[in-house]
Amino acid sequence: MKKYYIETYGCQMNESDSEIVRGILETEGLIRTESLEDADLILINTCSVREKPEQKIYSRLGKINKILPAENNAKIGVIGCMAQNLKSDIFRQNNNVNFVLGPDSYRKLPEIIKTHREHIAFTDLSKTEVYEELFPSRSSGMNAWITIMRGCDKFCTYCIVPFTRGRERSKPVESVVKEIEDATNRGFYEITLLGQNVNSYNYEGNNFTDLLKKIIKNEKIRRIRYVSPHPQDITEELLKVHRDYYPKLANHIHLPLQSGSTKILKAMNRNYSQEHFLSLVKKIREYVPNMSITTDMIVGFPGETREDFEETIYVMNKVKFDTSFMFKYSPRPYSRAYKMDDDVSEYEKSERLTEMIDLQKEHTLLRNKEMIGKEVEVIVEGYSKKSNAEMMGRTSSNKIVIFPAVDSSGEKIKIKSIIKKTIIETKGVTLFAK
Ligand code: SAH
Ligand code: SF4
Ligand code: F3S
């Protein structure tokens, strides 16, 4: 039996795609190995969103060549966004790579693993590929990723994703429902709907909220999450569903701000202003007062002055995000900003990022402290990393809670159970309960 090995970089979409790829390979009779040296097929699912992850992947590929024994005949494939971005250039950079597959070309895998041709690249982007009827081989755990749409039509000027992932397209409603049924039948309790702009879902007139309403009725699902929504498509209709279905629909929205400066937002092609973003947050909190709001922010976009950066700090102080992902701007090929002057110095970018991270830490702690004394619903995921006397679980707002492994009557707490816990302490991003 042939064995495959897979490594995944980048976002949840890539994690989910790796599960699709694994499903395809396992249907072909390959089995997974965790050992690189053992594998007949090595796949690296890659990310291009910033320069750093790309460099990391190149050095990883170099290392793989060194790790593999000289007589090794394993085929090496680079797949995902970097494959799409660099296409057959990858062969020039690393001659040991045998094939390159972009995110819309995974159906070529069965053909590719049977051929002896070297240096093949399939990188056509599709307007329709949603990998329907292919059941992913899911990683064990609580949560099943369900990709409901692919691609991005937003063209934020800094971003490479519309070029590596192609145009937006949505999976048929029935197909999503079927995939979720399959996941819940296999014991997954939590469903995370995925898409580059998950709430831009639109299939034959069914929008994201219509889809959510259909899914939410599935009684085997204990919790539903979704990432990443675009602020543009957060509707009142969606907020009503949040209000009506909490805690089954998680009280968490990831709302990427990118910048707090209206001028920079415009240059980024983010189609909202600072005022609009703040009023959206206000509206979200009117519907769901305890909604956890997380975000993505970029420092040092071309033309960002100290004053622009302070506008972002202003928004952070107004909203007090629960957590955020913060990045230095990195010029990406194909994107419109690539042609702009990358005029914020590396020193300035680092200063701004550090300032932002420090402020975010304060806000995270503040948000977590607000939870002390409150009772929350926790889905138990397993034992804590530190000890078997403690277990860990996740709140509807996506926060990790650590608590004793036995309840007050001395009973062992079961994995996957839903329990009520009162938060007593917070350290860093983690909450502790009685
Ligand atoms: N579709 C998702 C995000 C995809 S990329 C969304 O719009 O929310 C994830 C994050 O990476 C983005 O939100 C952005 O903050 C960051 N990012 C994307 N391109 C970048 C670049 N060129 N430099 C720095 N950060 C970038
Ligand atoms: Fe990139 Fe913007 Fe599309 Fe998100 S919405 S993937 S940031 S272009
Ligand atoms: Fe990276 Fe592609 Fe995701 S560029 S962030 S893996 S969509």
Side-chain angles (χ1 to χ4, degrees), residues 152-156 158-162 196-197 230 258 270:
C152 177
D153 291 351
K154 307 293 187 283
F155 290 95
C156 303
Y158 50 80
C159 188
I160 197 172
V161 173
Q196 250 84 39
N197 291 289
H230 192 289
Q258 312 303 0
R270 288 292 290 184

Side-chain angles (χ1 to χ4, degrees), residues 9-11 13-14 46-49 81 160-161 164-165 196:
Y9 297 83
C11 63
M13 286 295 288
N14 256 16
T46 58
C47 173
S48 272
V49 78
C81 289
I160 197 172
V161 173
T164 63
R165 292 272 174 173
Q196 250 84 39

Side-chain angles (χ1 to χ4, degrees), residues 403-416:
F403 46 87
V406 286
D407 65 17
S408 46
S409 54
E411 289 281 316
K412 269 196 149 184
I413 294 173
K414 289 195 185 75
I415 292 177
K416 293 194 178 181

